[in-house]
Amino acid sequence: MTSDSLLTLKLPEGYVFADLKLRRCADDAIDLDMDLVQLICKINGLDVEKVLQNPGPVVTSILTIWYKTHMAEGGVPDALMEVLKTQGPRLN
């Protein structure tokens, strides 16, 4: 389990941050592997249907926590995440 000051989140074993396939799809939007997001929701007991109705808050938490873990474990910086970090809480 990985913990953040606001949230505790179980990350799926056998996956790495890059498996999210994070990419920019518009100036103010991102795209990522929603199947992996759904897996994370399931292992954390989150209602997938509710998350899919408004994915922003959960996706932001997943990205933030997983990226912090990734970097703490010596991972290579992700160019898009570095940009998103400077923009603040605007992930769509």
Side-chain angles (χ1 to χ4, degrees), residues 42-58:
K42 287 178 186 174
I43 64 176
N44 285 281
L46 301 173
D47 184 330
V48 172
E49 292 305 315
K50 284 186 179 179
V51 170
L52 293 177
Q53 289 173 11
N54 182 21
V58 172

Side-chain angles (χ1 to χ4, degrees), residues 19-44:
D19 292 331
L20 285 168
K21 300 176 186 159
L22 182 64
R23 68 179 183 88
R24 174 84 66 191
C25 62
D27 287 344
D28 62 347
I30 61 168
D31 186 47
L32 68 158
D33 184 339
M34 288 304 291
D35 290 336
L36 188 48
V37 170
Q38 289 182 30
L39 173 62
I40 294 167
C41 289
K42 287 178 186 174
I43 64 176
N44 285 281

Side-chain angles (χ1 to χ4, degrees), residues 22-25 29-31 78-85:
L22 182 64
R23 68 179 183 88
R24 174 84 66 191
C25 62
I30 61 168
D31 186 47
D78 179 90
L80 180 52
M81 275 304 294
E82 292 299 318
V83 169
L84 294 173
K85 281 177 23 180

